[in-house]
Amino acid sequence: MKLNYTIMYVPDVATALTFYESAFGLSRRFLHESGDYGELETGETTLAFASHTLGASNFPAGYVRASDSEQPLGMEIALATDDVAQAHRAAVAAGATELMAPTVKPWAQTVSFVRCPAGTLIELCTPMT
């Protein structure tokens, strides 16, 4: 077993892809012609986005939309970078909300937290050695 996809349900897939391209320099793999699904190039595990319309078809009983929640959901995606401060500034400039400025943790890893416009909690961190 291996982690293959992380899929975030968002109000607008194209807008989410554009944010991650602008904020983090990730490349778009594709956006389905329906606009309901898209993926970014992120290495071995795919970071993907699906529309709330697609989410509603998958979960007819409903689900908690990160975009509608006042507080971040109890899960995050983590993006590793050698320059957390620069990535943090770029994310905020692209429209993310700062939750925690870059901080050096006791285990010597630099970490910051932002929340993307679609509501997902994002950890920016230096790689662990």
Side-chain angles (χ1 to χ4, degrees):
M1 189 77 67
K2 73 175 193 171
L3 180 61
N4 198 28
Y5 287 87
T6 296
I7 302 172
M8 293 178 276
Y9 290 93
V10 296
D12 185 279
V13 174
T15 299
L17 290 170
T18 299
F19 168 77
Y20 281 81
E21 290 168 326
S22 174
F24 307 116
L26 298 173
S27 298
R28 187 177 303 204
R29 183 178 295 161
F30 78 91
L31 173 61
H32 188 269
E33 62 189 34
S34 68
D36 283 331
Y37 182 81
E39 295 179 354
L40 294 168
E41 295 288 347
T42 56
E44 190 173 328
T45 302
T46 300
L47 181 58
F49 303 88
S51 68
H52 285 309
T53 301
L54 187 56
S57 72
N58 290 335
F59 308 106
Y63 60 96
V64 177
R65 295 178 180 205
S67 56
D68 292 345
S69 175
E70 284 188 36
Q71 293 186 308
L73 302 179
M75 54 183 263
E76 66 182 58
I77 63 164
L79 299 173
T81 178
D82 291 328
D83 192 345
V84 172
Q86 186 281 328
H88 186 90
R89 284 190 302 273
V92 171
T97 302
E98 179 181 72
L99 298 179
M100 185 182 89
T103 303
V104 178
K105 295 294 190 174
W107 51 90
Q109 183 184 38
T110 302
V111 174
S112 78
F113 289 96
V114 296
R115 191 170 181 199
C116 78
T120 303
L121 177 60
I122 302 168
E123 175 183 340
L124 302 170
C125 59
T126 51
M128 292 293 292
T129 56

